[in-house]
Amino acid sequence: MKGFSYKLRVNIYKLLLVAAATLSSQSSFAMSTDTAQKNTSDTDNIQAKKLYQDHCQTCHGIDRMGSMGPALFPENLKRLRQAKAVKVINNGRAATQMPAFAKTLSAAQIQSLVDYIYTPAKVIPKWSIADMKASNIVHFDQSKMSNTPLFDADPMNLFMVVELGDHSATLLNGDTFTPITRFKTRFALHGGPKYSPDGRFIYFASRDGWISKYDIYNMKTVVEVRAGINTRNIAISSDGKYAIVGNYLPHNVVILDTKTLLPIKVIPTTDSDGKSSRVSAVYNAPPRYSFIIALKDVKEVWEIPYSDKGGVEVFKGWAHDYRKDGGEGKVENWKSEEQFPIRRIKTQDYLDDFFFDPDYINLIGASRDSHTGQVINLDAMRKVASIKMAGMPHLASGITWDYKGKTVFASPNIKEGRVTVIDMESWQVIKDIKTQGPGFFMRSHSKSPYAWVDVFFGPNKDKVHVIDKASLEIVKTLKPVPGKTAAHVEFTKDGKYVLLSIWDKDGAVIVYDANTLEEIKRLPMKKPSGKYNVFNKINYEKGTSH
Ligand code: DHE
């Protein structure tokens, strides 16, 4: 592929993927739901497939393999009863891009779609190490690249802005708020891209499994790999050596060498009884030198150490825990003979959404349908507290700050207009701050007196609240562009300015003075989703996502 332009290469790869997905069983990636095994008649199946192609395929992918939306196979729908699936297609699904079809499709059509997506694929989709290696594209030779930035800006105060509108990203100077470069990304990135510990590289994950390593100093995508078919997110180890990718399809995590993006280890995500699971998300836990893996369909959270640094102490603790629990046959692992051993932590409920305390000792998790959050102590390997929470808190967007000598944790709520503030010692709710509708993202900075939360859903989606962290009161509500969703903020390195997205094809990033809350600048952008400041991200700044 060398010699072709990047755009052409991307298009050729897209064509190859479509061909691979639609053609035959020659590749392990190929599969066909046309030939599904269920008892539905051929005619029913053809009609359902047509409905799927007309209404679902754009988001859920060719042959149900997932794209913007998740893959749709019985193996991935284990926690969704068929009756609930009918409701989801009728009414849409909170906190996702899934629309309601009740006005577009008849009850019979919706039922046939449900039958269709619960029909097992004849060939279970696979994505092997060989497939990953074959997908690896080296765009540039890293050894020939400059080791200093080819632009004049503080490399610690840069922002990467992901623009979903035309699948691009903009590198922004965080002092002057001027774009340095803009480039094409893979289709449908999701989750925060992650920086290398020195801030030079950034790793993007697309929903269809592509991992791209971009060299910020040289402003070039250097290497890519397809690590899965339907991917959740990516995390980078604190030593910068490893990337871990969590997948919905196949059910696994993949550990990549960050230099080459070649796979080092693929770990199928099955619990100790052999039941397999999608991965909810993967995280780096810096003080533990380990990755934390949250599983979606089994009641386990995993910890995978990637370094002996720090790991030695942790290993001693594990020896004790495993013996007490009867060993689970893993005793040899924490003697560190195996690279990337798994430490399994049993949970009382599924965990769809999580947050870590600043020391990465406690994980706060909740299942989608529960009103009770679990606090799981990762050292003790057990639940240490429950938190009663109304609606559906979006824990992953939570942030912490100091309040009256304590650390508090605050999270927006996807179903109700409230921000819940929790004392992280007693795990009691201190306050529910009433907002003008359900929210998705929340942000602050240790040097800012304010926390920002959007009103992502409902008639007030164009509003953003500014909360005073000392009084826990909303002090200002902004409405930057009436009628257009305003969401997701990120602070500059010094916390003096805030960047807010207008989520529209003709959208913008708006810069505010973080203290006066006055608008400073508006930069036109194509549906800018998240934006990520180098310094805040690599230092795991308290007010930002990790
Ligand atoms: Fe996200 C982060 C899960 C829908 C935009 N989202 C995350 C993370 C998780 C997650 C676990 C943290 C991972 C990370 O950053 O490494 N998101 C989910 C879902 O389960 C959910 C509800 C359903 C789904 O479709 O997967 C979901 N997310 C969405 C959207 O519909 C959003 C608004 C648009 C989109 O891109 O699809 C969306 N999610 C984002 C963004 C982040 C994110 C912009 C990064 C936030 C950050 O500041 O780090």
Side-chain angles (χ1 to χ4, degrees):
M1 288 283 167
K2 277 196 180 106
F4 289 113
S5 71
Y6 177 69
K7 195 173 166 193
L8 188 58
R9 272 196 305 270
V10 168
N11 285 335
I12 291 172
Y13 272 94
K14 269 189 190 159
L15 277 174
L16 287 175
L17 287 175
V18 170
T22 15
L23 289 175
S24 76
S25 52
Q26 285 163 10
S27 144
S28 55
F29 175 51
M31 61 168 180
S32 168
T33 48
D34 299 353
T35 47
Q37 292 166 323
K38 229 195 153 200
N39 303 336
T40 46
S41 74
D42 283 355
T43 326
D44 288 348
N45 203 31
I46 289 163
Q47 280 171 356
K49 179 160 184 168
K50 175 83 175 62
L51 279 175
Y52 176 86
Q53 286 169 338
D54 291 348
H55 300 282
C56 320
Q57 184 165 287
T58 326
C59 290
H60 291 283
I62 293 170
D63 281 347
R64 302 185 274 158
M65 280 195 290
S67 178
M68 287 286 270
L72 295 175
F73 296 102
E75 296 80 2
N76 277 23
L77 294 166
K78 279 184 267 192
R79 280 180 60 201
L80 188 72
R81 296 218 173 109
Q82 297 206 18
K84 183 85 192 288
V86 170
K87 277 193 189 152
V88 171
I89 300 178
N90 267 303
N91 308 325
R93 189 159 169 84
T96 72
Q97 307 291 315
M98 174 73 189
F101 285 93
K103 289 189 182 146
T104 327
L105 299 174
S106 68
Q109 285 175 316
I110 289 177
Q111 187 56 54
S112 72
L113 273 174
V114 171
D115 292 344
Y116 182 66
I117 62 175
Y118 281 85
T119 304
K122 194 168 184 187
V123 181
I124 298 290
K126 289 196 183 107
W127 192 246
S128 66
I129 286 202
D131 293 320
M132 287 177 220
K133 286 184 177 164
S135 73
N136 191 234
I137 311 167
V138 179
H139 294 284
F140 291 98
D141 180 353
Q142 193 66 68
S143 65
K144 298 199 176 114
M145 313 285 265
S146 166
N147 288 324
T148 50
L150 300 180
F151 49 82
D152 185 19
D154 173 1
M156 285 295 117
N157 198 25
L158 300 170
F159 286 83
M160 190 62 79
V161 185
V162 172
E163 293 179 69
L164 286 182
D166 63 352
H167 310 284
S168 302
T170 293
L171 181 66
L172 198 66
N173 180 329
D175 291 313
T176 59
F177 306 116
T178 44
I180 296 169
T181 185
R182 188 171 194 273
F183 56 96
K184 278 277 165 210
T185 65
R186 287 278 165 182
F187 177 79
L189 299 183
H190 175 241
K194 303 289 151 59
Y195 291 102
S196 58
D198 60 0
R200 170 171 171 179
F201 299 102
I202 185 163
Y203 300 84
F204 298 98
S206 74
R207 290 214 188 234
D208 59 358
W210 280 100
I211 307 302
S212 311
K213 176 181 177 181
Y214 182 85
D215 182 341
I216 293 176
Y217 290 3
N218 292 278
M219 295 174 285
K220 283 187 164 65
T221 300
V222 280
V223 57
E224 294 186 286
V225 74
R226 192 173 188 196
I229 298 172
N230 193 196
T231 289
R232 292 303 285 163
N233 75 323
I234 184 172
I236 304 294
S237 60
S238 294
D239 55 15
K241 288 184 187 166
Y242 310 109
I244 186 165
V245 182
N247 287 321
Y248 262 12
L249 199 68
H251 293 180
N252 65 21
V253 287
V254 178
I255 297 174
L256 304 171
D257 178 337
T258 48
K259 273 197 189 127
T260 57
L261 291 190
L262 285 167
I264 301 174
K265 192 166 182 178
V266 175
I267 308 175
T269 39
T270 42
D271 70 4
S272 33
D273 299 326
K275 193 175 162 210
S276 108
S277 172
R278 292 168 292 168
V279 176
S280 287
V282 290
Y283 293 95
N284 177 38
R288 308 177 74 85
Y289 292 89
S290 64
F291 292 126
I292 308 289
I293 291 89
L295 301 178
K296 205 162 179 79
D297 305 311
V298 296
K299 293 177 186 170
E300 279 186 12
V301 169
W302 291 2
E303 178 165 20
I304 298 185
Y306 49 73
S307 162
D308 283 346
K309 212 171 162 189
V312 177
E313 281 307 306
V314 177
F315 282 1
K316 278 185 198 151
W318 295 8
H320 174 71
D321 283 325
Y322 274 116
R323 280 185 200 127
K324 207 170 59 184
D325 293 352
E328 280 190 61
K330 294 279 176 276
V331 174
E332 69 279 14
N333 282 349
W334 36 257
K335 283 185 187 155
S336 189
E337 278 141 22
E338 186 186 328
Q339 198 184 15
F340 309 118
I342 304 166
R343 183 184 186 224
R344 292 170 192 271
I345 300 169
K346 302 275 181 201
T347 59
Q348 289 183 359
D349 195 359
Y350 298 108
L351 302 181
D352 294 311
D353 196 15
F354 339 76
F355 182 76
F356 296 92
D357 65 6
D359 297 328
Y360 283 83
I361 292 171
N362 293 301
L363 178 159
I364 302 113
S367 78
R368 214 186 136 87
D369 302 319
S370 159
H371 296 309
T372 309
Q374 304 175 55
V375 182
I376 295 160
N377 184 302
L378 295 171
D379 291 336
M381 298 177 78
R382 62 182 175 84
K383 191 180 97 176
V384 289
S386 302
I387 313 172
K388 280 269 166 225
M389 293 182 280
M392 191 193 287
H394 194 208
L395 301 176
S397 288
I399 54 169
T400 59
W401 68 81
D402 297 331
Y403 171 76
K404 297 188 176 166
K406 303 168 172 191
T407 304
V408 293
F409 159 66
S411 128
N413 198 297
I414 286 166
K415 275 201 177 149
E416 294 178 4
R418 62 170 81 211
V419 165
T420 306
V421 185
I422 293 161
D423 176 340
M424 295 189 82
E425 251 170 55
S426 66
W427 301 109
Q428 298 297 313
V429 175
I430 296 180
K431 184 165 181 181
D432 268 322
I433 304 168
K434 198 171 160 15
T435 63
Q436 291 190 26
F440 208 86
F441 299 109
M442 191 159 181
R443 274 288 207 277
S444 186
H445 189 284
S446 50
K447 293 193 178 128
S448 168
Y450 303 124
W452 294 55
V453 64
D454 52 58
V455 185
F456 201 76
F457 307 98
N460 293 316
K461 63 181 185 182
D462 49 6
K463 292 186 183 166
V464 174
H465 297 298
V466 181
I467 296 168
D468 178 358
K469 293 196 285 191
S471 66
L472 308 184
E473 299 287 343
I474 293 174
V475 288
K476 190 159 184 176
T477 297
L478 302 161
K479 190 175 177 179
V481 183
K484 291 190 179 177
T485 305
H488 194 280
V489 306
E490 173 73 305
F491 283 74
T492 48
K493 160 179 123 169
D494 54 12
K496 287 189 178 157
Y497 298 94
V498 175
L499 279 66
L500 166 72
S501 290
I502 302 300
W503 285 54
D504 191 87
K505 214 68 182 152
D506 292 316
V509 161
I510 306 181
V511 184
Y512 291 91
D513 181 309
N515 292 309
T516 64
L517 309 179
E518 294 301 322
E519 184 176 325
I520 303 288
K521 192 167 182 178
R522 236 171 235 231
L523 297 150
M525 300 241 178
K526 302 263 181 230
K527 201 175 181 189
S529 56
K531 54 213 103 39
Y532 309 89
N533 178 274
V534 172
F535 181 87
N536 294 344
K537 294 289 279 184
I538 66 177
N539 287 293
Y540 288 74
E541 160 54 49
K542 268 186 187 175
T544 196
S545 63
H546 292 175

